[in-house]
Amino acid sequence: MNTEIPFEENQHESSFIDLLADVMFGTGEEVAATAQKEEKDNFIQSWKNEFESLAGIAENFPAKEEPDEADNEEKWQEIRKRFGFNNANPVIIPMNAANLCPEPDSLITAANNFRFMFNKDVAMQQRMGDGEWVTLVRESRRILAEGLGIESGKENNLAILRNASEGNNVINGGYQKWTGMENVINWEENHPTNNQAWELRQKWGGGDDRFEIRRVTSQELDLKNANRKDEEIARCFTRKINDKTRFISISETSNGTGERIPPGVIKIIWEYINGDPMLNDCHFHIDATMAYGAGPINQLVKHCHSLVSSCHKWFLGPKETGILYMDPNKAEDFVPLIFAYDYQIKIPNLGELPRDAMRFELIGQRDDANLITLALTQTWWNEINTLNPGARVVELANYLKKKLEDNNWDIITPYFGEDSVLNEQRSRGIVRVRAPRSERNNKKSLYEWIYESPINNVQIAGGGGGDERPRETFRLCPHIYNLMEDIDKAVDNMNAWRDINVK
Ligand SMILES: Cc1ncc(COP(=O)(O)O)c(C=O)c1O
């Protein structure tokens, strides 16, 4: 069951394709009498077909009251067919969405087409001011913002950056208003770019008194305890807040343990900060990298001052893209990490820095084709929204956890058996288990073995982790391109590894 609202509907996909086609081939009058007319028509038609066929999946497999498992798998098989790995030989099954995802083939083709076109005319007239490429990048931002539920007209609160690492560092490296004796509240399971990066900022220059870091531990949160109430979990954060707290900075879902801070907890923290005028300078930052594309995040955007994510993970977007949403009332608290051109190819004077998230996009020349493809990625999601991809991510993870439990694996990620509401609130698509190697001989880690040493021709790309043997762990993160049979194969292979490599 999915308890959040779905991605915002986007009514503009055909107008974006038309705009794209106008830029690539010329407007109606310009191409009417040329050979490009046919090419342009074919381009538009191919995208219409793509979107119609995606929308058709939902029509062919309507939601049923008592879902039929075979039907369900057939539906997701249709999605899987859109990814190149499915036709590769050998098939390397991707199951590491927390790290990097394959993109749907149609989006890779689109990005490549743009890139060819871009290289045919690299004139500044196209790339600056109101040039056509700039218009498309602006439109891309608008479509992405709409997908995040950002109010129309406020898309400049959304910076498009390289990745989540950069976004997190805008926050911890960009804030320069420290006066001493202040504090930052972290969760120990934050990604290093939102965790150790704070320590680096704190200690840089030799001192360690710029601010104090107050860490909330997972033991305190006790997210695996089914009886734990949202209020109790939220209290672990709020009891550390005082009038010197400048940031609460958390990962919404941990890439390590897969633990998720429940939506209700995030709302309580947000309301706590907003309910006390003494906390006006307390900034709530959310790293939503394990959430964006794994489920809807509109509610998160509404309950924070800033939010980051990479787009090349669960969101299935082009490589080296990420987002940073910033509340415009907070943007001026941050010095941009890079001070370079905007799309006017102009470096603003200091006093003229943009007062919104655009100040974080003064980053010089960019890969515009990638940025424009992001609009198509969002449109792709809009088309499959009715399939409820967020629920599928949780369904896959729960199926995996059940199988692992049945096979006596020690699961680190919260798992509540049949309780689908709790499963979804306390985790998303990440599943981590303990996978200690034998102390003897030169045995392979599960991470290496499952990729390199296929049994039954199955090779799986998962994620390693943990420290030296015997404390190793292994992570699988199935996504909408995976099928239940992938999970069956993964667990069979894990069991085989255990038989060979543990004893
Ligand atoms: C929660 C979280 N934040 C940030 C990052 C950094 O992502 P990137 O390497 O795409 O910048 C990751 C990477 O796995 C992550 O899991």
Side-chain angles (χ1 to χ4, degrees):
M1 201 179 88
N2 204 307
T3 51
E4 294 183 56
I5 57 162
F7 290 111
E8 294 280 311
E9 289 291 336
N10 180 349
Q11 306 299 332
H12 304 281
E13 65 258 23
S14 53
S15 60
F16 184 69
I17 299 297
D18 287 336
L19 180 63
L20 212 55
D22 282 350
V23 171
M24 287 175 74
F25 303 100
T27 55
E29 284 157 26
E30 286 161 5
V31 292
T34 71
Q36 295 240 349
K37 167 90 172 74
E38 199 181 329
E39 236 184 293
K40 181 176 178 182
D41 288 347
N42 288 343
F43 172 84
I44 294 174
Q45 194 56 46
S46 72
W47 278 100
K48 281 202 174 133
N49 294 347
E50 171 76 7
F51 290 141
E52 270 168 27
S53 105
L54 282 169
I57 299 175
E59 278 162 33
N60 291 340
F61 300 96
K64 292 184 186 156
E65 249 177 50
E66 299 220 357
D68 169 335
E69 208 175 289
D71 247 21
N72 196 34
E73 287 310 284
E74 222 183 301
K75 174 171 82 183
W76 292 105
Q77 175 84 51
E78 288 300 315
I79 292 294
R80 182 194 185 86
K81 283 183 194 160
R82 278 146 169 101
F83 292 83
F85 77 85
N86 189 47
N87 304 316
N89 186 12
V91 173
I92 316 277
I93 300 172
M95 235 190 263
N96 198 13
N99 184 251
L100 197 76
C101 282
E103 299 154 59
D105 283 2
S106 58
L107 301 179
I108 303 173
T109 306
N112 290 345
N113 285 341
F114 303 154
R115 198 161 276 117
F116 272 119
M117 193 200 84
F118 182 91
N119 281 281
K120 286 182 188 163
D121 182 359
V122 296
M124 289 178 88
Q125 283 85 340
Q126 298 281 25
R127 294 183 287 111
M128 61 179 280
D130 288 326
E132 288 178 319
W133 282 103
V134 184
T135 310
L136 287 176
V137 172
R138 261 188 223 131
E139 188 59 7
S140 187
R141 184 190 317 284
R142 191 190 64 70
I143 288 172
L144 270 189
E146 193 170 49
L148 289 163
I150 294 172
E151 229 177 287
S152 167
K154 304 250 170 101
E155 45 269 15
N156 283 357
N157 295 338
L158 187 70
I160 304 177
L161 303 178
R162 271 189 302 169
N163 50 35
S165 299
E166 187 175 1
N168 279 331
N169 276 275
V170 163
I171 303 298
N172 56 55
Y175 188 77
Q176 308 266 326
K177 295 166 76 176
W178 304 109
T179 56
M181 307 298 289
E182 291 151 299
N183 65 73
V184 171
I185 298 170
N186 278 182
W187 174 26
E188 67 172 348
E189 278 301 326
N190 284 2
H191 186 265
T193 55
N194 187 24
N195 200 342
Q196 285 85 348
W198 281 104
E199 270 173 44
L200 179 120
R201 307 298 174 187
Q202 180 199 36
K203 297 196 162 58
W204 195 256
D208 60 358
D209 54 358
R210 292 179 87 183
F211 53 88
E212 173 202 355
I213 298 176
R214 300 182 168 184
R215 288 236 161 77
V216 175
T217 64
S218 284
Q219 197 179 4
E220 277 174 82
L221 295 179
D222 200 11
L223 289 159
K224 290 174 98 167
N225 176 352
N227 297 320
R228 198 88 165 126
K229 302 263 177 310
D230 279 356
E231 290 72 16
E232 294 170 303
I233 301 168
R235 186 90 193 99
C236 298
F237 290 95
T238 55
R239 69 172 168 237
K240 290 193 162 47
I241 300 178
N242 64 16
D243 61 347
K244 297 283 186 191
T245 302
R246 292 296 161 262
F247 289 92
I248 300 182
S249 191
I250 58 164
S251 281
E252 188 258 9
T253 292
S254 153
N255 59 298
T257 59
E259 291 163 297
R260 175 185 184 191
I261 307 293
V265 172
I266 287 181
K267 187 157 179 275
I268 293 171
I269 298 172
W270 177 243
E271 285 169 357
Y272 184 93
I273 296 170
N274 283 286
D276 184 348
M278 297 266 284
L279 301 181
N280 277 348
D281 291 331
C282 175
H283 181 124
F284 189 23
H285 174 66
I286 298 179
D287 179 346
T289 308
M290 296 297 101
Y292 192 33
I297 64 166
N298 309 35
Q299 291 304 307
L300 286 180
V301 173
K302 289 188 172 60
H303 293 144
C304 70
H305 293 112
S306 58
L307 173 143
V308 298
S309 178
S310 291
C311 299
H312 43 229
K313 298 182 191 278
W314 300 86
F315 188 66
L316 309 176
K319 309 293 176 270
E320 208 171 307
T321 53
I323 51 165
L324 165 64
Y325 160 76
M326 175 67 78
D327 178 336
N329 296 318
K330 296 286 184 187
E332 287 184 83
D333 289 347
F334 299 87
V335 178
L337 299 183
I338 298 173
F339 185 46
Y341 296 141
D342 60 7
Y343 275 100
Q344 309 299 322
I345 319 270
K346 224 169 92 184
I347 298 193
N349 291 324
L350 268 188
E352 294 164 358
L353 282 178
R355 290 164 184 259
D356 51 28
M358 292 305 95
R359 62 171 42 211
F360 309 115
E361 273 200 42
L362 301 170
I363 54 181
Q365 307 262 354
R366 329 248 334 234
D367 184 351
D368 293 325
N370 254 0
L371 308 189
I372 291 160
T373 310
L374 275 172
L376 289 175
T377 313
Q378 178 65 57
T379 308
W380 197 91
W381 281 108
N382 294 340
E383 290 300 340
I384 67 158
N385 201 18
T386 46
L387 303 178
N388 205 347
R392 173 66 173 178
V393 169
V394 177
E395 181 184 42
L396 286 163
N398 285 344
Y399 182 75
L400 172 57
K401 286 185 220 168
K402 165 128 189 29
K403 273 215 97 123
L404 290 169
E405 190 178 64
D406 290 348
N407 284 278
N408 300 317
W409 286 88
D410 184 2
I411 307 173
I412 294 168
T413 310
Y415 177 48
F416 302 94
E418 300 288 302
D419 190 334
S420 57
V421 174
L422 257 194
N423 280 332
E424 192 195 337
Q425 290 193 348
R426 303 279 176 90
S427 69
R428 285 184 185 265
I430 294 171
V431 181
R432 190 178 286 277
V433 293
R434 283 180 228 290
R437 267 184 294 178
S438 166
E439 295 279 6
R440 285 178 288 116
N441 305 331
N442 195 19
K443 306 262 169 127
K444 283 201 188 268
S445 71
L446 177 51
Y447 160 74
E448 293 165 319
W449 190 88
I450 209 165
Y451 177 67
E452 291 169 14
S453 313
I455 56 161
N456 307 328
N457 286 329
V458 174
Q459 277 184 274
I460 292 168
D467 299 305
E468 299 296 297
R469 71 172 68 176
R471 290 195 299 276
E472 296 134 311
T473 63
F474 180 63
R475 182 183 71 185
L476 285 175
C477 312
H479 202 0
I480 54 169
Y481 41 69
N482 287 115
L483 300 170
M484 297 298 183
E485 66 178 44
D486 294 341
I487 290 171
D488 293 340
K489 288 176 189 165
V491 178
D492 285 350
N493 277 258
M494 289 170 72
N495 292 340
W497 170 83
R498 192 169 51 184
D499 287 345
I500 297 166
N501 287 281
V502 173
K503 290 172 191 144

